[in-house]
Amino acid sequence: METSTKDFWENRLAEDWTETGVGYRALGAAFNTWMYRVRRAVFLREMAAAPIDLPTAEVFDIGSGTGFYVDLWRELGVAGVTGSDITTAAVNNLRGRFPDSDFHPFDAASPELPVPAGAYDIVSAMDMLFHITDDAGHAQALRNAARLLRPGGLFVFSENFLFGPEQRGPRQVNRSMHTIERELAAAGLEPIRHTPMFVLMNAQVDAPWLRRRAWALVMRTVTAAGLGGLAGRLLYPLEMRLLASRREGPSTELMICRRIEQQ
């Protein structure tokens, strides 16, 4: 019997509540450490420049996992962060790690919200929406983000935004830019900015097939040889230079949307 999405992540995070557990597990802990340094740099840069007053902003984070982005929101100096996760393991651990914040069990694909609607200035959903494999559930997650926001509030999330054909697997669906933009519009969310989170250091999902296969082969070889840390250290400065100059990438991207005010 196929394991449900909730059970899959419950088991995985109960076993490994680290950035590797929620990250690209096949690449190993050492390379994931460098990947999260890239994520941190891009996220802090983009949110520091976002059109919102961070010191007064209340944030709701969907799919908080280990609390990586909760920590970044706190570093940015927001007024408060409320978190959530589909797994009991993550919620319990997050409550212990951040005792001054609230954390709620929440399936983002469900229409039931764990908190009052319209109570937040920012909603974030980082590195998790592509794990919602059900299309109706994915659209519901975007509607939920809009429902949680005050009019004019910001939705910050990461997706793969393919320009090529959609890619479907049992635990991840890489959707097209067209599909995601259509769902955002239906939810009342208007994109105002998007930028690559990776160019070289994450799976080349929106690149030609041969490049995708070559990347996977090289990274498997590097990981098997125990060279993930060295590869990450060498690629990191090049990755940051590329990210500073590109507006599109072959991998995960960050998008910021504004909730459209009803007329």
Side-chain angles (χ1 to χ4, degrees), residues 108-186:
S110 165
E112 299 298 323
L113 298 180
V115 293
Y120 296 91
D121 304 289
I122 303 173
V123 171
S124 53
M126 300 301 297
D127 309 327
M128 53 78 57
L129 288 169
F130 39 68
H131 292 304
I132 301 176
T133 56
D134 173 64
D135 289 340
H138 186 270
Q140 181 64 56
L142 298 186
R143 290 194 296 271
N144 287 341
R147 292 167 63 203
L148 288 162
L149 285 169
R150 298 184 176 105
L154 300 184
F155 177 41
V156 184
F157 68 107
S158 59
E159 275 273 16
N160 289 316
F161 301 108
L162 301 188
F163 288 98
E166 296 189 349
Q167 302 162 8
R168 293 183 173 269
R171 300 296 170 198
Q172 181 166 322
V173 174
N174 300 322
R175 294 175 172 86
S176 71
M177 174 69 85
H178 174 75
T179 295
I180 296 167
E181 287 183 333
R182 185 182 68 241
E183 292 178 354
L184 290 169

Side-chain angles (χ1 to χ4, degrees), residues 55-114:
T56 64
E58 291 289 339
V59 177
F60 187 90
D61 184 53
I62 301 173
S64 299
T66 63
F68 178 80
Y69 290 100
V70 173
D71 220 15
L72 295 186
W73 283 124
R74 290 157 66 98
E75 185 175 340
L76 285 164
V78 298
V81 186
T82 300
S84 66
D85 202 84
I86 194 173
T87 70
T88 302
V91 170
N92 289 341
N93 284 325
L94 288 162
R95 287 170 175 168
R97 181 180 175 188
F98 303 102
D100 56 344
S101 293
D102 292 329
F103 293 91
H104 302 271
F106 178 41
D107 180 353
S110 165
E112 299 298 323
L113 298 180

